Amino acid sequence: MIQWTELEGENVLVTERDPGPDYERLLLSKLGSQRECRLVRHKLGIERLLSFVGAGLGLTLVAEGATGAAHPGVAYREVQDGDGPTRLNFVAYWRQANRNPTLAPFLDLLRERYPDLSAPGAPAEED
């Protein structure tokens, strides 16, 4: 585990594709205006960025779901602040007219792993 503040002064590799811009905003908000890191933007996907990390060219942010892939020279670490692990919120929706058979199992998986915090009676989210 590392703290957000430990990323100060590091080369942080971000993709110009999604979710790179979101990770960039998150990083800047966690470091605050008093600290700096060197953002290195690339028009590459996360797989290529992880190769750059393995080559020692910097670090990158990935979602927990991406940590199962093994890349030579890459170690995954949880980033925390004073409140514990950082949680990223997301929204999933599907058009009623779309009858793709993968929808139901996918939404079931999301409901199982990530409770709907906006639903009435849902557990309150801590700030």
Side-chain angles (χ1 to χ4, degrees):
M1 181 273 304
I2 61 173
Q3 298 290 318
W4 283 104
T5 54
E6 293 179 75
L7 302 182
E8 182 178 353
E10 296 290 333
N11 284 339
V12 180
L13 312 175
V14 293
T15 178
E16 292 181 357
R17 302 175 185 173
D18 284 334
D22 293 329
Y23 287 160
E24 185 175 330
R25 284 188 295 276
L26 173 67
L27 177 65
L28 295 175
S29 73
K30 291 294 184 179
L31 289 179
S33 61
Q34 302 302 317
R35 296 187 173 95
E36 294 184 15
C37 62
R38 291 179 296 275
L39 291 173
V40 183
R41 294 173 188 87
H42 293 278
K43 294 181 181 182
L44 305 168
I46 191 65
E47 293 296 320
R48 180 62 65 196
L49 287 184
L50 288 169
S51 296
F52 286 5
V53 170
L57 300 176
L59 58 91
T60 193
L61 301 174
V62 297
E64 184 178 6
T67 61
H71 294 272
V74 174
Y76 297 100
R77 299 289 181 261
E78 182 177 273
V79 184
Q80 295 190 356
D81 54 25
D83 297 325
T86 299
R87 179 179 174 178
L88 300 178
N89 294 321
F90 65 93
V91 175
Y93 69 94
W94 201 272
R95 292 185 324 255
Q96 290 290 334
N98 190 330
R99 300 291 181 215
N100 188 316
T102 61
L103 170 63
F106 175 67
L107 291 178
D108 288 344
L109 175 71
L110 289 177
R111 287 183 191 108
E112 176 185 314
R113 291 191 177 187
Y114 306 100
D116 182 356
L117 298 177
S118 66
E125 187 174 358
E126 295 180 20
D127 291 327

